[in-house]
Amino acid sequence: MTDLPLSILYQDDHLVVVNKPAGMLVHRSWLDKGETRFVMQTLRDQIGQHVYPLHRLDKPTSGVLVFALSSDVASAMMPQFANNQIKKGYHAIVRGWIADAGQLDYPLVEEQDKIADKHASQAPEAKSAITDYQPLAKIELPIATGRYATSRYSLVAMQPHTGRKHQLRRHMHHLSHPIIGDTTHGDGRHNRVFRHHFDCHRLLLHASQMRFKHPVSGESLTVTAPIDSQWQALMEAFAWQWPDNADLMGN
């Protein structure tokens, strides 16, 4: 992880939105004691004022991350997240070819942390989890995996309607199209293909776009996060075209 400044996608007197780098934690966590750089502290130092995280992205996920610049704005904004009123667009590279767009309505049990939740009195119940997905591009590589002589991959757009932990990673696993680089819900053989042939050692999941109502002005705001150099290299290697901003959420 470098010490480069965070890329600020949007900023006004009330909100600041950054393009979170893959592999960077949003804030300090006792579960990752070895980490030294965090989005929240880096952004605070970069803009010279305290920031309030409104949601989270997993450490390996890149893309749109929104902060409030006051506790009042944070309080005004949180109901949009709690009530799933915010539209989010993600992109991922997954194993296999997806033939058609669809919607997966597959409830998920909250994943418990082995340490933090070890004293939980009872197992959590499954909660509603809904994801729209659309295949955008595909490729077949002359690289053998398992009993197959070739390897197939798809670029897919996803829009979660709910915000369950690891929802997109778990839903794509359920569809038998796990996201490349997912070491928990993915396919180790295909993760190795990307490590060995493309020097790609990370999760290929990007939070591309978010649309929400500004908590002060009430206006609709759409923020788009460009892909990083590793994503760009893969798009070029596969001769894929990154969708236009207007198409990132399936518009």
Side-chain angles (χ1 to χ4, degrees), residues 129-191:
I130 301 171
T131 302
D132 290 338
Y133 58 92
Q134 304 89 29
L136 302 177
K138 62 183 182 181
I139 192 170
E140 186 167 20
L141 300 176
I143 301 171
T145 50
R147 67 180 187 273
Y148 300 102
T150 61
S151 299
R152 291 179 171 185
Y153 302 103
S154 297
L155 175 67
V156 61
M158 297 169 289
Q159 300 84 37
H161 293 275
T162 48
R164 307 305 174 201
K165 186 177 180 181
H166 297 165
Q167 175 173 321
L168 299 179
R169 293 159 68 175
R170 296 170 72 187
H171 269 182
M172 296 315 293
H173 170 81
H174 179 74
L175 290 170
S176 297
H177 295 290
I179 298 173
I180 299 301
D182 190 340
T183 57
T184 304
H185 307 285
D187 185 320
R189 297 169 302 175
H190 291 273
N191 294 346

Side-chain angles (χ1 to χ4, degrees), residues 29-236:
S29 169
W30 59 273
L31 295 173
D32 288 270
K33 295 180 180 178
E35 295 296 327
T36 58
R37 192 165 185 256
F38 311 89
V39 177
M40 191 171 166
Q41 285 78 12
T42 300
L43 182 59
R44 177 197 62 198
D45 296 343
Q46 187 171 323
I47 67 173
Q49 64 184 109
H50 194 71
V51 296
Y52 299 78
L54 297 175
H55 62 117
R56 66 188 295 275
L57 287 177
D58 294 335
K59 178 181 175 181
T61 305
S62 57
V64 176
L65 187 62
V66 186
F67 293 86
L69 294 178
S70 72
S71 57
D72 288 343
V73 170
S75 297
M77 185 78 176
M78 288 308 295
Q80 290 189 63
F81 285 96
N83 298 325
N84 298 315
Q85 295 172 331
I86 292 176
K87 191 170 184 180
K88 302 175 184 178
Y90 288 77
H91 287 81
I93 297 177
V94 304
R95 181 191 73 187
W97 288 358
I98 300 177
D100 302 301
Q103 182 179 91
L104 178 62
D105 185 347
Y106 180 71
L108 295 171
V109 174
E110 180 77 13
E111 288 184 331
Q112 292 187 299
D113 182 83
K114 293 180 180 178
I115 300 175
D117 298 315
K118 67 178 181 179
H119 298 302
S121 58
Q122 60 185 27
E125 295 181 358
K127 296 181 179 179
S128 172
I130 301 171
T131 302
D132 290 338
Y133 58 92
Q134 304 89 29
L136 302 177
K138 62 183 182 181
I139 192 170
E140 186 167 20
L141 300 176
I143 301 171
T145 50
R147 67 180 187 273
Y148 300 102
T150 61
S151 299
R152 291 179 171 185
Y153 302 103
S154 297
L155 175 67
V156 61
M158 297 169 289
Q159 300 84 37
H161 293 275
T162 48
R164 307 305 174 201
K165 186 177 180 181
H166 297 165
Q167 175 173 321
L168 299 179
R169 293 159 68 175
R170 296 170 72 187
H171 269 182
M172 296 315 293
H173 170 81
H174 179 74
L175 290 170
S176 297
H177 295 290
I179 298 173
I180 299 301
D182 190 340
T183 57
T184 304
H185 307 285
D187 185 320
R189 297 169 302 175
H190 291 273
N191 294 346
R192 285 191 291 274
V193 167
F194 275 72
R195 288 198 298 268
H196 296 161
H197 294 271
F198 302 101
D199 195 27
C200 181
H201 301 258
R202 43 80 75 90
L203 180 73
L204 291 172
L205 176 62
H206 181 63
S208 312
Q209 200 167 70
M210 185 180 291
R211 183 174 301 143
F212 54 89
K213 189 174 290 187
H214 193 285
V216 177
S217 70
E219 296 180 2
S220 178
L221 184 64
T222 300
V223 184
T224 303
I227 51 176
D228 59 29
S229 59
Q230 185 150 59
W231 264 97
Q232 291 171 356
L234 289 168
M235 297 296 290
E236 292 175 7

